[in-house]
Amino acid sequence: MNNTFKLYYISSLVAVIGNAVSQIAVSWYISSMISHAHLAYLIASTFLCTFLFSVLLSPIIDRNNPIRIYRISVVGRIILLIVTIVLLKLLEGSIGPLVLLLIIQSILTVMGSNTSFKIVKYIVPEEKLLKANALLTANSRTGYLIGMFLGGILIKYLNIDTVLIIEVIGYCLSLGLLFFISINNYVGSQNTSKYFKNIWEGFSYIANNKWIMVVILIAVIANMAITPTNTLLAPYVQEVLKESSLTFSVIEILMIVGGILSSLITSKISKHLEKKGILLNLFITSASLQSISVILLGFHIMKIPVFIYFFIIGVSVAIFNIPFVTILQKNIPSDISGRVWSLLVAISTLFSSLFYYLSGYLVSVFSLKIVFFNFGLISLIFLVLTFLIFGKLLKKSIKV
């Protein structure tokens, strides 16, 4: 990989570590003060913000140099963290500033992650996109793993203000590296139509390309499958497995390690996976594995099988994301790719937030095992039907 990608890789790693430190620390701090259902609702609310701002920011990504937008998102995070630290001092004992931090940070994440989709497309040759996306997937999970350890340790021995200060330092380092990155071959969108018309053009492009609608449908179904593992993992460990926070941490680590290993392996064999059909098959298979693993979590209460299922979920989620991003990068024109990607993220997160709200409601009516089983089973049925109906369309339309 070229030097520009390497700089971007390191900058992203530093940022992911900083973000994970505060996310773990802040989430743990807040979860100790609110109920399981309210925690699920809070997570769902951050997803709704991601949906809204993915739509609103989509034209900006196509009209401006993506690396400049990415830098602005990092500067925004630094300012947000400093303001949060000040508010925590002024409003001692209140979780309000931390809730706002999680919500506003999700908006800045939209700017960063949606722009990253386009940055990679410019700094990496097309024949190396799969390898680059695999390395970035491993990067994000490695950074999260490191940040999770640091966040857990820091929140135990330090107060939340100090943890946030450490994150500020991390983002300052990331920002410094970004100033060494430039995109010389960037050509902004020549479309000068009005802002909301630009948004509509993105939706029109998706509507006129049925294969994109099928791809996002599969992504929505895959997100549905893993919903309970995102919102109800802590209660599952406590009430189903009858285990402590140590088991919770082990499961989190297993999912992350599974994602790291599968991403690294994918990067090593990327040339073989580029063969026609393999990338698409990988996309469908990994989505199915997520559903099957969640179904099995609704049956088993013994630790070893449960550990294996969560590890498989980590592997399959990572493998799913790599072809998902690569397929879209290769098949969507650069001048509209920012809008299309942002709108696809918006659609995905809208449904995810609805699933998260639904999981918060269902867990108050049914047992945790039933909730896990039903999310997995229904998603698997939808996946099979989608592939049977639209499989030929995908194989015919997608350049892999």
Side-chain angles (χ1 to χ4, degrees):
M1 305 304 288
N2 57 49
N3 290 332
T4 302
F5 178 79
K6 290 176 182 177
L7 278 172
Y8 180 70
Y9 185 90
I10 297 169
S11 174
S12 298
L13 178 62
V14 173
V16 169
I17 292 172
N19 187 47
V21 166
S22 72
Q23 184 181 344
I24 293 296
V26 171
S27 298
W28 187 262
Y29 185 82
I30 291 176
S31 66
S32 64
M33 304 176 73
I34 60 177
S35 67
H36 298 329
H38 284 127
L39 182 60
Y41 295 150
L42 176 58
I43 296 171
S45 298
T46 63
F47 270 69
L48 278 177
C49 288
T50 301
F51 156 72
L52 177 63
F53 282 90
S54 285
V55 173
L56 295 178
L57 295 173
S58 60
I60 297 173
I61 295 173
D62 278 333
R63 289 181 176 185
N64 298 275
N65 190 314
I67 198 66
R68 187 178 300 134
I69 299 174
Y70 194 86
R71 289 174 191 152
I72 291 171
S73 72
V74 176
V75 171
R77 286 177 181 272
I78 293 170
I79 295 172
L80 173 63
L81 287 166
I82 292 172
V83 171
T84 302
I85 292 167
V86 173
L87 289 176
L88 286 173
K89 293 291 185 183
L90 296 175
L91 304 172
E92 191 172 347
S94 172
I95 64 169
L98 296 176
V99 172
L100 286 175
L101 171 65
L102 289 178
I103 293 174
I104 299 174
Q105 196 163 249
S106 68
I107 298 169
L108 295 170
T109 298
V110 168
M111 288 182 65
S113 61
N114 290 3
T115 304
S116 177
F117 174 85
K118 198 159 187 174
I119 291 173
V120 174
K121 190 169 182 175
Y122 274 102
I123 66 176
V124 176
E126 183 174 309
E127 65 272 13
K128 292 188 176 181
L129 280 173
L130 180 62
K131 182 175 183 178
N133 289 320
L135 289 172
L136 287 171
T137 300
N139 181 43
S140 66
R141 280 153 176 76
T142 302
Y144 185 78
L145 181 61
I146 295 170
M148 183 176 70
F149 274 118
L150 291 176
I153 294 170
L154 292 175
I155 197 62
K156 182 175 182 179
Y157 296 104
L158 303 173
N159 57 39
I160 192 67
D161 306 40
T162 307
V163 174
L164 297 182
I165 290 172
I166 292 171
E167 187 180 359
V168 170
I169 295 171
Y171 277 117
C172 287
L173 292 172
S174 177
L175 181 62
L177 290 171
L178 288 174
F179 280 106
F180 291 97
I181 301 173
S182 61
I183 298 177
N184 298 321
N185 60 336
Y186 173 73
V187 178
S189 173
Q190 301 302 310
N191 193 325
T192 57
S193 57
K194 292 183 179 179
Y195 179 83
F196 286 104
K197 187 177 180 181
N198 270 183
I199 296 177
W200 181 249
E201 288 168 353
F203 279 118
S204 296
Y205 186 87
I206 294 170
N208 292 329
N209 290 271
K210 291 184 179 179
W211 70 267
I212 298 180
M213 297 176 68
V214 177
V215 167
I216 193 59
L217 174 61
I218 294 171
V220 167
I221 296 171
N223 285 341
M224 176 188 180
I226 61 172
T227 293
T229 69
N230 290 325
T231 58
L232 302 171
L233 178 56
Y236 183 87
V237 171
Q238 293 168 348
E239 298 175 20
V240 177
L241 299 182
K242 308 295 183 184
E243 296 289 340
S244 66
S245 59
L246 177 61
T247 300
F248 174 81
S249 298
V250 170
I251 289 173
E252 286 276 15
I253 292 169
L254 283 172
M255 287 194 289
I256 296 169
V257 170
I260 294 170
L261 292 176
S262 59
S263 300
L264 292 175
I265 292 171
T266 302
S267 71
K268 292 292 184 182
I269 61 173
S270 58
K271 288 184 179 180
H272 301 287
L273 295 176
E274 293 280 1
K275 293 179 181 178
K276 188 171 179 61
I278 295 179
L279 203 60
L280 183 58
N281 291 338
L282 194 65
F283 179 64
I284 301 294
T285 302
S286 58
S288 303
L289 278 175
Q290 293 175 49
S291 298
I292 293 169
S293 298
V294 174
I295 290 172
L296 293 172
L297 287 172
F299 283 107
H300 289 273
I301 58 173
M302 295 179 64
K303 281 201 299 185
I304 300 302
V306 166
F307 285 167
I308 294 171
Y309 302 147
F310 276 112
F311 179 81
I312 294 173
I313 289 172
V315 169
S316 56
V317 169
I319 292 178
F320 177 86
N321 288 335
I322 296 165
F324 175 59
V325 174
T326 306
I327 287 169
L328 294 173
Q329 286 172 330
K330 287 190 173 186
N331 290 273
I332 300 174
S334 295
D335 63 338
I336 200 171
S337 62
R339 276 168 287 173
V340 172
W341 174 255
S342 296
L343 294 174
L344 292 179
V345 170
I347 294 167
S348 176
T349 51
L350 173 62
F351 279 97
S352 289
S353 62
L354 295 176
F355 294 145
Y356 283 18
Y357 281 121
L358 180 62
S359 71
Y361 167 74
L362 290 177
V363 77
S364 65
V365 179
F366 302 104
S367 71
L368 282 162
K369 291 176 67 177
I370 290 176
V371 173
F372 270 73
F373 177 80
N374 283 334
F375 268 101
L377 179 62
I378 294 171
S379 63
L380 183 60
I381 292 171
F382 284 159
L383 273 175
V384 171
L385 291 174
T386 300
F387 189 68
L388 289 175
I389 297 170
F390 300 110
K392 290 183 179 179
L393 172 66
L394 290 177
K395 291 178 180 179
K396 180 180 178 181
S397 304
I398 293 175
K399 178 182 75 173
V400 293

